[in-house]
Amino acid sequence: MPKKSGLSKGFAVAFVVLTICAIAGMISMMVVYEIQTNGLNMTAPPIITTSTPPPPPVMRLPRSLIPESYDIILQPHLYTSIKEEVNVTTPNQTLTFTGNSTVHFQCHQDTTYIFLHSLGLNVFAPRVIDKDTGNPIKVSSVKHHKDVSHFLEINVDGRFKAGGNYSLFLAFEGEISEYLQALYVSTYTETNKEAVNETIEERFLAATNLEPTSARRLFPCFDEPDMKAAFRLKVIHRRETTALSNTRPSPDSYVLDKDWKLTSFFETPKMSTYLFAFTISQDNFPYIDFSTSSVNIKTYARPEAMEAGHVEYAAKITAKILEFYEEHFGLKYEMNDLDQIALPDLEPLAMENWGLITYQEGALLYEEGVSSWLHKELITSVIAHELAHQWFGNQVTMKWWNEIWLNEGFATYMSYLAVDHAEPSFQIKEKLIMDDLHTAFEEDALLTSHPLSTPSEYVQTPGEILGMFDAISYSKGAMVLRMLANYVGEESFNNGIREYLRVYQGRNVEQGDLWELIQNADSARFSIAHFMKSWTTQIGYPVITINTTSGETYQKHFLYNSSAVSSLLWEIPFEYTTNITLPGSNKLVINTPEHASVFYHNCKVKQHQQRSQRSYCCTSSICEESLDLF
Ligand SMILES: *[C@@H]1O[C@H](CO)[C@@H](O)[C@H](O)[C@H]1NC(C)=O
Ligand SMILES: *[C@@H]1O[C@H](CO)[C@@H](O)[C@H](O)[C@H]1NC(C)=O
Ligand SMILES: *[C@@H]1O[C@H](CO)[C@@H](O)[C@H](O)[C@H]1NC(C)=O
Ligand SMILES: *[C@@H]1O[C@H](CO)[C@@H](O)[C@H](O)[C@H]1NC(C)=O
Ligand SMILES: *[C@@H]1O[C@H](CO)[C@@H](O)[C@H](O)[C@H]1NC(C)=O
Ligand SMILES: *[C@@H]1O[C@H](CO)[C@@H](O)[C@H](O)[C@H]1NC(C)=O
Ligand SMILES: *[C@@H]1O[C@H](CO)[C@@H](O)[C@H](O)[C@H]1NC(C)=O
Ligand SMILES: *[C@@H]1O[C@H](CO)[C@@H](O)[C@H](O)[C@H]1NC(C)=O
Ligand SMILES: [Zn+2]
């Protein structure tokens, strides 16, 4: 999902920024030319305060049982419009849903209980089957843990044996939320032109929003991102409504009786629970079909928004961006269908559910001649972000929420490339400095910031997981990837991420998996894992000072609190241009970039490259070799 608001707040730190001719796209640092500076030398090592030690990871599901697939039937009892015979201001609205599900799982380690997630559901009628013999296994107890683990513990008389296949059936009922969580009700108004005098009528639709931990409020499930499974969904909904889900409806959809119909959906690819989604809206909720040669793309919105032509821009640009990604990633979009829907209410700006992307209306609807340029740019960026997730996040997913930046940083970074391709006149790459670089700088200059890859012990409860969806994961994540792409070169980087998508398709990753494949794609001049470590496993960023008289260069952890001390150091790729003569040449070179790679932190990486590139090895605070600038 995209961050809640992309606009950067006023950021007023008075720097005199000396861009030594061309810092050619390097994001990592601000080169500060401090004339009357007094804090050039590194201060004493800090005490890095790690807050109270985290609790042991008891919030995670055991790995003894691994889900393979789910069969789910859901029946939301909501009405989408007011019925004449019932009270007009309070329609006969029922905010309950009922359903049942069967999860098929394989046992990887002998055990006598099933742990899965369930929250706010009334669960009953458990049935466990040994699929290899077809025999039922007696359930001895069902227990809802009352803590934030949200565990549903099911004990059986008998034993799950490693290698065996089993299924668990549960019936359940829950409530449709009025607060935009899990399965929720969204309201809007519509002009009824058929009434004698036109009337404004209230309408309702049901939608889901499950990231990160709300799938457990919809059906009992193994609600962790690496517990990927295939989903087969059937929705029972009112006759006058249409249901959409991750995949397209299958032919065995039919009318049940005078009130209800059943829509059955094709099986999804194996995916994380948080990507599961469906919506139920009135039959008159229209769409525009703007497909590519291989993917049917439909963009849905309220009838009035559609009639006014507000959906056209989004529909057109989606196809263009999807084709760009397929080409750029060297990997086709996984499914044949992609639906997008503008919802009157949604808590994030948009959500990348696989095959059914949901948007706030403001993030999708565009009115030619009325909406601002900035609004158009927002729409394009949000669409590009969500489409990038169809690969980064949906195909290749982080193992755990502590590395959500692998989803969000990539989606944000890739959206710049896609928007630049689809709408070059936006010059979006220029804006990234304000939109993401400075947003990241702003958040990351606090001692309370967190590393991109936070140790998983600190990310256990739903609250801690939600806390990871911040400017660090989105903006710093994107900027650190941009730095790496610039450092290894776009070509190596792109080859690396193509391999990453190919190798880990349908699987879960940690950051090390990414570094390894970019390393392979690069001519391996240095260790990428080592280089990236200082950027992704510690908080903050450095400010670099260059004394242009002596050439002495320093780095220091940039913090708003100038009395705070820190000894954190970074490995910094560094490019500069001088007006001096190149060594071994008498020619005066003016404005010709002379690249130098300055490695801080320690001396492991010490190599001299071609003449125009030099490595400097800096120990703790001062470079041993000074830069011969000017
Ligand atoms: C509609 O329902 C509300 C709340 O139940 C009630 O206060 C109101 O009197 C009802 N109006 C009519 C016209 O029945
Ligand atoms: C309204 O609800 C009542 C009680 O739940 C039910 O008897 C009645 O049939 C409902 N009316 C409609 C139009 O569904
Ligand atoms: C599951 O729910 C559906 C729809 O309500 C129902 O028809 C079916 O009988 C239920 N399955 C079981 C095993 O109870
Ligand atoms: C369980 O299912 C998997 C694949 O679905 C299959 O490979 C395996 O042989 C099954 N185990 C048994 C004991 O039948
Ligand atoms: C329609 O509106 C007109 C003018 O406001 C009013 O006189 C008339 O009674 C209305 N008709 C109905 C059926 O509400
Ligand atoms: C920069 O280096 C020169 C020469 O070593 C020194 O005289 C000067 O004080 C330095 N400037 C600052 C601001 O430290
Ligand atoms: C700044 O850092 C110092 C030293 O760590 C600390 O004592 C002080 O409370 C901090 N000030 C603020 C405003 O956080
Ligand atoms: C390089 O630039 C500096 C600062 O503008 C100037 O003082 C110096 O003379 C220049 N050196 C050469 C070789 O042009
Ligand atoms: Zn996102």
Side-chain angles (χ1 to χ4, degrees):
M1 63 183 150
K3 61 202 153 195
K4 285 177 188 111
S5 156
L7 301 181
S8 42
K9 295 160 218 139
F11 178 64
V13 173
F15 282 125
V16 183
V17 180
L18 174 72
T19 42
I20 306 172
C21 295
I23 305 186
M26 279 296 156
I27 68 104
S28 60
M29 76 223 74
M30 290 196 139
V31 177
V32 181
Y33 183 46
E34 292 175 284
I35 298 192
Q36 324 93 315
T37 182
N38 40 20
L40 275 183
N41 287 308
M42 294 295 294
T43 35
I47 303 94
I48 303 299
T49 48
T50 45
S51 41
T52 46
V58 292
M59 300 285 168
R60 301 292 300 275
L61 293 174
R63 260 50 189 169
S64 39
L65 305 175
I66 305 292
E68 297 277 334
S69 64
Y70 294 82
D71 287 293
I72 303 166
I73 298 184
L74 285 165
Q75 181 172 20
H77 295 253
L78 181 86
Y79 290 92
T80 55
S81 65
I82 290 152
K83 301 279 160 205
E84 275 173 21
E85 57 273 31
V86 294
N87 186 332
V88 170
T89 49
T90 326
N92 220 13
Q93 199 54 279
T94 44
L95 291 178
T96 54
F97 66 91
T98 51
N100 56 56
S101 68
T102 304
V103 52
H104 306 270
F105 55 89
Q106 195 173 18
C107 178
H108 286 226
Q109 203 182 351
D110 285 22
T111 181
T112 60
Y113 46 75
I114 307 170
F115 270 81
L116 68 171
H117 292 101
S118 169
L119 177 62
L121 297 175
N122 186 10
V123 170
F124 48 93
R127 262 205 324 267
V128 176
I129 308 278
D130 179 340
K131 289 174 64 182
D132 302 320
T133 64
N135 294 331
I137 299 177
K138 190 171 178 293
V139 172
S140 56
S141 70
V142 175
K143 181 183 160 202
H144 254 122
H145 288 227
K146 295 277 174 251
D147 57 19
V148 286
S149 70
H150 304 154
F151 284 156
L152 182 68
E153 180 184 344
I154 295 170
N155 286 285
V156 294
D157 287 343
R159 208 165 177 77
F160 299 110
K161 298 240 167 46
N165 296 308
Y166 303 88
S167 70
L168 166 68
F169 171 89
L170 288 165
F172 51 86
E173 57 190 27
E175 219 162 287
I176 301 173
S177 162
E178 293 176 88
Y179 306 102
L180 313 185
Q181 289 170 352
L183 176 60
Y184 67 93
V185 55
S186 173
T187 58
Y188 60 100
T189 56
E190 205 173 276
T191 310
N192 184 349
K193 295 193 178 117
E194 275 147 34
V196 180
N197 287 339
E198 287 193 0
T199 51
I200 306 280
E201 292 182 1
E202 210 174 2
R203 298 278 184 258
F204 304 84
L205 64 79
T208 58
N209 189 51
L210 306 184
E211 191 180 24
T213 58
S214 287
R216 63 191 67 172
R217 296 167 188 253
L218 190 57
F219 55 96
C221 55
F222 294 82
D223 198 8
E224 295 193 0
D226 68 341
M227 298 276 210
K228 289 191 176 184
F231 297 83
R232 292 174 294 268
L233 172 69
K234 287 183 167 64
V235 178
I236 299 173
H237 53 109
R238 302 272 175 194
R239 287 252 329 242
E240 67 279 12
T241 63
T242 300
L244 302 176
S245 186
N246 303 88
T247 51
R248 82 171 100 161
S250 69
D252 57 338
S253 301
Y254 51 91
V255 170
L256 281 173
D257 57 31
K258 77 178 203 339
D259 291 326
W260 300 98
K261 67 181 175 192
L262 180 144
T263 303
S264 193
F265 293 92
F266 281 108
E267 181 177 84
T268 68
K270 276 201 154 196
M271 65 181 196
S272 306
T273 45
Y274 76 89
L275 292 169
F276 181 85
F278 70 92
T279 62
I280 296 171
S281 55
Q282 288 220 294
D283 274 339
N284 69 353
F285 222 76
Y287 64 84
I288 296 187
D289 188 330
F290 208 113
S291 301
T292 71
S293 54
S294 56
V295 184
N296 301 312
I297 306 174
K298 295 195 181 103
T299 306
Y300 292 79
R302 277 187 292 123
E304 286 171 3
M306 186 64 73
E307 276 163 32
H310 297 178
V311 188
E312 270 147 39
Y313 177 72
K316 185 177 83 174
I317 210 74
T318 299
K320 201 166 177 184
I321 293 173
L322 193 78
E323 282 179 329
F324 168 78
Y325 283 143
E326 289 190 328
E327 165 75 25
H328 189 72
F329 300 151
L331 186 64
K332 288 281 176 201
Y333 170 69
E334 171 86 12
M335 300 197 228
N336 299 320
D337 297 85
L338 173 64
D339 290 344
Q340 310 192 90
I341 184 167
L343 296 172
D345 306 285
L346 179 66
E347 157 50 15
L349 272 179
M351 177 61 211
E352 69 264 22
N353 316 300
W354 209 347
L356 176 58
I357 307 177
T358 50
Y359 294 87
Q360 280 181 14
E361 289 191 338
L364 199 74
L365 305 182
Y366 173 77
E367 188 172 3
E368 192 70 51
V370 173
S371 305
S372 67
W373 185 262
L374 203 61
H375 190 186
K376 192 175 192 179
E377 189 187 281
L378 171 86
I379 291 168
T380 319
S381 296
V382 173
I383 292 173
H385 179 107
E386 303 311 324
L387 291 183
H389 274 312
Q390 307 303 307
W391 287 264
F392 292 96
N394 300 7
Q395 276 282 14
V396 180
T397 317
M398 71 283 150
K399 278 211 170 106
W400 181 243
W401 300 107
N402 63 322
E403 286 190 329
I404 186 65
W405 80 272
L406 290 173
N407 276 12
E408 300 302 348
F410 261 116
T412 305
Y413 173 71
M414 291 303 167
S415 73
Y416 282 105
L417 308 189
V419 174
D420 196 46
H421 169 84
E423 292 284 9
S425 64
F426 289 177
Q427 296 184 288
I428 195 80
K429 287 178 168 175
E430 315 279 318
K431 269 204 78 201
L432 142 172
I433 303 295
M434 286 317 296
D435 285 355
D436 284 292
L437 183 60
H438 279 273
T439 308
F441 278 164
E442 198 177 333
E443 298 287 318
D444 209 17
L446 296 165
L447 265 175
T448 50
S449 184
H450 67 83
L452 279 172
S453 292
T454 301
S456 60
E457 309 88 270
Y458 290 98
V459 187
Q460 291 289 314
T461 65
E464 288 163 351
I465 291 167
L466 216 49
M468 294 300 288
F469 290 82
D470 64 1
I472 301 298
S473 298
Y474 285 80
S475 298
K476 186 182 183 184
M479 293 302 96
V480 157
L481 290 170
R482 177 166 170 268
M483 174 178 70
L484 180 62
N486 194 281
Y487 195 26
V488 301
E490 296 270 341
E491 202 188 325
S492 298
F493 184 80
N494 290 340
N495 290 338
I497 58 138
R498 282 169 172 232
E499 270 304 282
Y500 172 76
L501 290 174
R502 195 185 62 77
V503 171
Y504 292 105
Q505 205 179 141
R507 293 164 61 189
N508 293 79
V509 289
E510 291 171 320
Q511 61 168 347
D513 301 323
L514 174 63
W515 308 149
E516 191 186 332
L517 293 176
I518 294 179
Q519 184 83 59
N520 292 349
D522 187 44
S523 47
R525 287 178 293 129
F526 61 97
S527 160
I528 289 178
H530 184 263
F531 165 63
M532 291 304 284
K533 195 167 168 235
S534 60
W535 296 97
T536 62
T537 64
Q538 58 189 20
I539 64 163
Y541 53 94
V543 58
I544 297 173
T545 308
I546 300 171
N547 180 330
T548 50
T549 310
S550 67
E552 282 176 318
T553 307
Y554 308 87
Q555 66 165 305
K556 189 178 174 191
H557 184 177
F558 181 79
L559 289 164
Y560 287 142
N561 183 345
S562 51
S563 52
V565 286
S566 165
S567 66
L568 297 182
L569 293 168
W570 285 262
E571 288 206 11
I572 304 166
F574 191 86
E575 282 181 55
Y576 65 88
T577 306
T578 72
N579 62 353
I580 57 163
T581 319
L582 278 177
S585 153
N586 294 324
K587 226 165 89 199
L588 183 68
V589 181
I590 298 172
N591 287 342
T592 300
E594 178 175 282
H595 300 281
S597 304
V598 184
F599 289 95
Y600 288 85
H601 203 43
N602 61 41
C603 292
K604 276 196 192 127
V605 193
K606 184 169 188 173
Q607 70 223 345
H608 291 268
Q609 292 139 17
Q610 62 266 54
R611 207 175 52 191
S612 65
Q613 291 197 308
R614 270 175 271 162
S615 293
Y616 286 88
C617 174
C618 302
T619 52
S620 60
S621 60
I622 298 179
C623 290
E624 284 164 354
E625 204 175 333
S626 57
L627 302 175
D628 43 359
L629 291 172
F630 305 130

